[in-house]
Amino acid sequence: MDPSEDAKAKQRAQDIADVIREDVARIHRIDIDEIRRKRDFKDDYWQAIRNADEPTFRQMLSAIGWEPGSPDYEAFVRAWRALRR
């Protein structure tokens, strides 16, 4: 599949998903903007994981609240290093 067709297919799928969520939101009062913010945050986070160097990744972990030196913080760093190999 050509990349532009793939992008169009992804956009169509996203549009359909948005319509479904909006329809469900009418019934269950789902905050579509909050869902989009969370999705964007996850996308940004994934970009940082894939593209950051270690000091930048460590700085990002600290910025979102993980304490340097804590077991969870160090586990994230080890997992990040494993992804980089």
Side-chain angles (χ1 to χ4, degrees):
M1 183 182 289
D2 161 351
S4 65
E5 290 176 9
D6 189 37
K8 289 178 186 176
K10 286 181 182 179
Q11 184 59 48
R12 277 192 301 273
Q14 184 62 51
D15 291 343
I16 291 168
D18 287 346
V19 168
I20 291 169
R21 274 193 290 275
E22 288 171 7
D23 193 41
V24 170
R26 287 187 195 104
I27 299 167
H28 298 287
R29 301 293 180 225
I30 296 172
D31 185 352
I32 298 299
D33 291 331
E34 182 62 23
I35 291 170
R36 286 187 180 123
R37 278 190 292 276
K38 286 179 182 179
R39 185 184 65 218
D40 292 345
F41 175 77
K42 288 178 185 177
D43 290 345
D44 292 345
Y45 189 70
W46 183 241
Q47 282 294 110
I49 288 171
R50 290 190 325 198
N51 298 321
D53 57 2
E54 187 167 332
T56 303
F57 181 72
R58 286 176 171 273
Q59 183 180 28
M60 181 188 67
L61 287 175
S62 295
I64 59 175
W66 295 102
E67 187 67 35
S70 70
D72 288 335
Y73 180 95
E74 295 306 323
F76 286 131
V77 172
R78 282 192 303 276
W80 179 84
R81 286 180 186 150
L83 287 172
R84 303 300 289 180
R85 293 182 195 160

